[in-house]
Amino acid sequence: MSRILSSSPAVMDFSQRSLYISALSIAFNPTFWNIVARREYHHKTLTHLFNNRSQLACYALALTIFSLGLFRDALFERALRHQPTHPLLTQPLVPYVAYTLLALGNILVLSSTWALGITGTYLGDYFGILMDEPVTRFPFNITGAPMYYGSTMSFVGTALLYGRPAGLVLAGEVLVVYLVALSYEE
């Protein structure tokens, strides 16, 4: 163990632009969807743009948010490829922890999407599309924000799978921006 620590390479490469681009995209996504959702709630901007068809406007926002998420994930993966690995994150047990986090994170995200549906998942309440009653079954009986925590778990799992400390820092940013977003959404 002391040999691993004494010969440790740089933990992060701050000269890589991909690190900063990934960090910006992580912060941008929830900021964007909260601004758009609040404008929709107060001014019906998207609903008017879609000829007063709120459901269609909500689906368009859902597609936009989903696409931005895919783009953010690609930028995250690119940033990881440009960062150094760390010996502590390349130990034999790490992939098992990584795959467990990825599996559990995806279970939380996918099961909450299933429970809420598209409009429940993608801010339909800001469009006036309300569910008949609050969802209290799994995964909402585990946590009030399964998508945010599940997504964070997936980011941590990916960072561990790549063995990149920078990924853990970016995953920490994911958690922070989701917690801030959650404070505005509740």
Side-chain angles (χ1 to χ4, degrees), residues 89-90 94-95 97-98 101 155-164 167-168:
L89 299 180
T90 59
V94 172
V97 174
L101 286 169
F155 275 91
V156 171
T158 302
L160 291 175
L161 201 55
Y162 277 76
R164 306 308 209 269
L168 295 174

Side-chain angles (χ1 to χ4, degrees), residues 18 30 39 55 60 65 67 92 101 119 126 138 147 161 168 183:
S18 59
R39 286 200 52 80
Q55 187 137 12
I65 292 170
S67 299
L101 286 169
T119 57
Y126 288 87
F138 183 81
M147 294 186 123
L161 201 55
L168 295 174
S183 73

Side-chain angles (χ1 to χ4, degrees), residues 7-181:
S7 64
S8 294
V11 175
M12 291 177 62
D13 183 353
F14 291 100
S15 70
Q16 294 296 324
R17 282 184 40 176
S18 59
L19 178 69
Y20 301 103
I21 292 169
S22 177
L24 285 172
S25 74
I26 288 167
F28 174 79
N29 285 10
T31 304
F32 167 79
W33 78 60
N34 272 290
I35 289 170
V36 170
R38 289 184 175 285
R39 286 200 52 80
E40 178 61 28
Y41 182 76
H42 292 293
H43 305 290
K44 299 294 181 205
T45 307
L46 290 176
T47 297
H48 292 311
L49 187 64
F50 282 88
N51 203 22
N52 292 323
R53 297 171 67 193
S54 60
Q55 187 137 12
L56 183 59
C58 184
Y59 278 112
L61 179 60
L63 180 61
T64 303
I65 292 170
F66 185 78
S67 299
L68 285 171
L70 291 176
F71 186 60
R72 175 208 57 203
D73 293 351
L75 291 173
F76 177 72
E77 191 271 337
R78 181 184 179 112
L80 293 185
R81 282 189 281 121
H82 294 138
Q83 289 295 313
T85 59
H86 193 279
L88 290 176
L89 299 180
T90 59
Q91 299 298 306
L93 188 61
V94 172
Y96 296 107
V97 174
Y99 284 120
T100 300
L101 286 169
L102 284 164
L104 293 174
N106 279 296
I107 287 169
L108 288 175
V109 170
L110 294 172
S111 62
S112 57
T113 302
W114 180 264
L116 293 172
I118 298 299
T119 57
T121 300
Y122 292 101
L123 307 167
D125 49 337
Y126 288 87
F127 292 83
I129 305 167
L130 304 175
M131 300 189 76
D132 294 334
E133 56 190 51
V135 178
T136 57
R137 66 183 183 275
F138 183 81
F140 293 94
N141 60 349
I142 304 295
T143 176
M147 294 186 123
Y148 290 166
Y149 293 120
S151 178
T152 301
M153 290 168 73
S154 294
F155 275 91
V156 171
T158 302
L160 291 175
L161 201 55
Y162 277 76
R164 306 308 209 269
L168 295 174
V169 172
L170 291 171
E173 181 196 5
V174 168
L175 179 61
V176 168
V177 298
Y178 281 162
L179 291 174
V180 170

